[in-house]
Amino acid sequence: MTACSRIAVLDIGKTNAKVVVLDATTRAEVAAARMANAVLKDCPYPHYDAEALWAFTLDAFRRFAREPGFDAISITTHGASAALLDAEGRLAMPVLDYEHEYPQGIRDAYDALRPPFAETRSPRLSMGLNVGAQLHYQKTVFPKAFAKVTTIMTYPQYWAARLTGIAANEVTSLGCHTDLWNPQTGNYSSLVDTLGIRPLMAPIRPAFDALGPVLPEIAETIGVSVPVYCGIHDSNASLLPHLVARQAPFSVVSTGTWVINFAVGGDLEHLDPARDTLANVDAYGRAVPSSRFMGGREYEILSAEIGSVADEAILAALPAVIERKLMLTPNVAPGSGPFPGHQRRWLNAAGASAAECHAAACLYLALMNEACLGLIGAKGPTIVEGPFAANRLYLTLLAALTGRPAIAVPGSTGTSQGASLLTGIAPVATQETRVKPTDIAGLEAYRAAWLAAIG
């Protein structure tokens, strides 16, 4: 057992960042601070506001060290990001926003360089969602700045390095559609040598490693000296408690800005790179068939467009929506998901109420998720983490469409909970809501019509 009684977790998502303190025994969240994760649009390219995040982090650690106190720090962040440091350990180039799109010539040149899917199990994604594409862009377009780079690090480990002074890379972030990792060999892909960056890659350390205590100046600032753990990719943090506590097969749906699906015990050999499937790498270095779509961002867009509606009204609207086949087709957020190249359309929506549009949006999310799970051979129960775990209609529809139970894990700290396990504490039983598959009149016909409309 660990000596930790409370763990502070730095959890940086694409939309929001937070610091939470978790009780090691109960896993209850006993303190929390949050801020928006803004993207700066100034030169040389859109990038994350690392200094604002750093100031927020230190302030939260300082306050929480006094009350309620903590004796370890763990870190989890979104994927598809890398930090490029100079010889002094500072950022040589800003941390590039992965939603930045590159000129066509840059994209074409990268396509000619990147390894085949059979090597990396990493599909070619839009914008900078392949970290290899980011590095190629930065090296090609900004050669003078890139020449100053001495260390390349995955994003959670950048924050660990700022706290400890120790540089590291870690496999859950390297294995997150970067094109830089070969999950079959458990080592870097050929792209690392093609780009000529192998000497720049920080040493690989397990997510569970305590890299060291915080630097003396950090300890003075926050008022406590504690160990900092290496850190983990956020969706893999959501997966970790279930790897520890459950027997395969099962799937985990980690929801946030992205909906990331893991099929533990699923099919690795029939992944389709054209439909946003890939192999992620779990905290133990094992390849896990995965799929994704930008469901959280899509639901945020749709909710803003439709307006607020009571849950009871949305549930009551469902039968009429199914009967008239009021539907939304992919994609609300382009560039990802199981149906690439499609632009969203509302069908049979004339005169629809806000409640009916909300119900159709929940149907859309559940159908997209069912497609994602089918592509990776998901079997057994589906565990839903994050904000979608509170959406009862989505859960009911997902269970009905897959014919398997949907298990909702409440709360919004699934990533933080998983990251806390890196410190060596054991997972605790959580209250879960199990939604059994039920027959919903007309749902199969609706699904068939939806697929036909996509074409």
Side-chain angles (χ1 to χ4, degrees), residues 296-352:
R297 174 72 55 80
E298 293 187 318
Y299 191 59
E300 180 183 359
I301 292 169
L302 292 168
S303 295
E305 292 175 353
I306 298 168
S308 179
V309 181
D311 290 345
E312 295 79 6
I314 298 171
L315 286 168
L318 180 65
V321 168
I322 292 175
E323 182 177 1
R324 69 187 279 192
K325 293 186 172 55
L326 164 61
M327 61 182 60
L328 175 64
T329 65
N331 290 298
V332 178
S336 72
F339 303 104
H342 291 269
Q343 293 186 341
R344 68 165 174 169
R345 293 183 298 148
W346 282 101
L347 303 177
N348 305 316

Side-chain angles (χ1 to χ4, degrees), residues 341-372:
H342 291 269
Q343 293 186 341
R344 68 165 174 169
R345 293 183 298 148
W346 282 101
L347 303 177
N348 305 316
S353 68
E356 289 171 332
C357 288
H358 260 292
C362 289
L363 273 161
Y364 166 80
L365 294 171
L367 285 161
M368 289 286 282
N369 224 150
E370 183 218 7
C372 286

Side-chain angles (χ1 to χ4, degrees), residues 152-167:
I152 296 174
M153 305 174 63
T154 40
Y155 200 42
Q157 289 65 51
Y158 164 66
W159 297 103
R162 288 197 72 157
L163 289 165
T164 66
I166 298 171

